[in-house]
């Protein structure tokens, strides 16, 4: 038995879910500390939890599956908190709801810098293109898309000056066509959250509802840049300044 190993009290029947949670917690702590997926050892995770290494394999077939579960849990937590913030502010309208989400996103990153780095900053093994649609970042992308679409569906401009002033029919939401190609030109697996429209394919002027995905990317990526800088600095973040910057970014994104 390795020095420092403390064996966990064996789980009773039906307590496997609790053990799985302990494994996830230990793995998340180790990933946050090391910053590298390649440094994570299932044997070390087992030792931290106080179980034998083979016990980990009863819940996760390999390291990749464990890391994926840790990552998904973190995204699910953030998405749940963003939707709670949206719902609390929803009575004031969709723009206020989106504003609440943007501000909470900043607070989440500042209050949980290790967790935020775990989601976006650790060095991970590269995914294949086929694995991209199952990545949990789509959960977050979906939450932003719901809020942005609701906000942009509410007229913000005087009659005749908005994005649909020409009277053209609503082209519908952006997304993959039946053949698997994405109108944003981002590839066969759907609209990649980090994809960009080819330079020559950018329309001029105000955009219509079909471009909600571009607004989502502009807002989300800008917020990420702001909070990534905030959590990287060697001094405490200016929380009020972050919230004000989130408001400014929201205003800019919604003019697109």
């Amino acid at each position: 038995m390795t020095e420092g190993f403390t064996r966990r009290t064996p789980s009773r029947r039906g307590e496997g879910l609790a053990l799985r949670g302990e494994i996830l917690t230990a793995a998340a702590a180790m990933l946050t500390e090391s910053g590298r997926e390649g440094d994570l050892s299932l044997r070390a995770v087992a030792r931290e939890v106080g179980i034998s290494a083979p016990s980990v394999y009863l819940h996760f077939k390999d390291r990749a599956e464990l890391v994926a579960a840790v990552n998904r849990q973190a995204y699910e937590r953030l998405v749940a908190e963003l939707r709670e913030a949206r719902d609390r502010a929803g009575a004031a309208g969709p723009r206020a709801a989106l504003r609440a989400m943007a501000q909470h996103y900043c607070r989440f990153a500042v209050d949980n810098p290790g967790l935020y780095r775990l989601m976006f900053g650790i060095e991970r093994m590269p995914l294949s293109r086929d694995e991209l649609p199952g990545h949990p970042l789509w959960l977050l992308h979906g939450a932003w898309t719901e809020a942005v679409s609701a906000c942009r569906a509410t007229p913000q401009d005087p009659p005749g000056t908005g994005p649909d002033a020409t009277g053209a029919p609503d082209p519908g939401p952006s997304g993959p066509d039946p053949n698997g190609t994405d109108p944003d030109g981002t590839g066969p697996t759907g609209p990649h959250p980090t994809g960009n429209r080819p330079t020559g394919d950018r329309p001029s002027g105000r955009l219509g509802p079909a471009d909600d995905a571009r607004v989502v990317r502009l807002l989300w990526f800008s917020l990420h840049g702001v909070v990534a800088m905030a959590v990287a600095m060697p001094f405490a973040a200016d929380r009020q300044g972050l919230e004000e910057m989130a408001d400014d970014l929201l205003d800019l994104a919604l003019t697109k």
Side-chain angles (χ1 to χ4, degrees):
M1 184 177 301
T2 305
E3 183 180 353
F5 178 86
T6 303
R7 183 171 294 281
R8 179 184 185 276
T9 302
S11 299
R12 295 190 294 270
R13 184 179 297 276
E15 292 183 339
L17 190 60
L19 176 55
R20 186 178 191 276
E22 291 182 38
I23 295 171
L24 286 171
T25 299
M30 291 180 175
L31 284 168
T32 300
E33 182 178 355
S34 72
R36 292 170 53 89
E37 176 182 336
D39 291 343
L40 184 69
S41 159
L42 295 188
R43 186 173 298 278
V45 172
R47 185 166 57 248
E48 180 68 21
V49 177
I51 58 178
S52 63
S55 297
V56 177
Y57 291 98
L58 297 176
H59 300 272
F60 303 98
K61 68 180 182 181
D62 53 26
R63 179 179 61 193
E65 186 173 271
L66 175 55
V67 171
V70 168
N71 205 30
R72 176 168 289 274
Q73 186 179 67
Y75 274 96
E76 287 174 348
R77 174 183 165 184
L78 175 54
V79 168
E81 291 187 16
L82 290 178
R83 285 183 168 145
E84 287 173 8
R86 177 198 64 188
D87 293 344
R88 285 194 300 268
R95 188 173 184 125
L98 182 57
R99 178 176 181 268
M101 285 180 65
Q103 292 190 347
H104 186 81
Y105 188 89
C106 294
R107 288 194 294 271
F108 178 92
V110 171
D111 291 341
N112 306 277
L115 185 62
Y116 194 82
R117 282 191 291 267
L118 175 61
M119 297 167 66
F120 295 103
I122 72 165
E123 183 178 327
R124 293 193 178 90
M125 304 299 184
L127 292 174
S128 70
R129 186 73 175 176
D130 291 341
E131 293 176 288
L132 178 60
H135 195 283
L137 61 82
W138 289 108
L139 302 174
L140 186 51
H141 185 273
W144 285 122
T145 300
E146 291 168 8
V148 165
S149 297
C151 194
R152 284 165 54 82
T154 303
Q156 303 287 339
D157 302 292
T161 63
D164 197 30
T166 62
D170 182 349
S174 176
D177 68 20
N179 297 321
T181 19
D182 166 38
D184 277 348
T186 54
T189 58
H192 193 308
T194 59
N196 292 310
R197 183 190 300 273
T199 303
D201 193 31
R202 291 185 183 276
S204 59
R206 296 291 299 276
L207 305 179
D211 289 280
D212 287 352
R214 284 188 63 206
V215 175
V216 167
R217 289 196 291 270
L218 178 61
L219 177 60
W220 178 15
F221 296 176
S222 298
L223 286 172
H224 172 71
V226 167
V227 298
M229 286 294 294
V231 300
M233 292 295 100
F235 43 79
D238 176 2
R239 292 171 180 269
Q240 182 177 347
L242 281 176
E243 292 191 3
E244 291 173 355
M245 195 171 296
D247 289 345
D248 290 342
L249 291 173
L250 179 57
D251 290 340
L252 289 170
L254 290 176
T255 62
K256 291 296 181 183

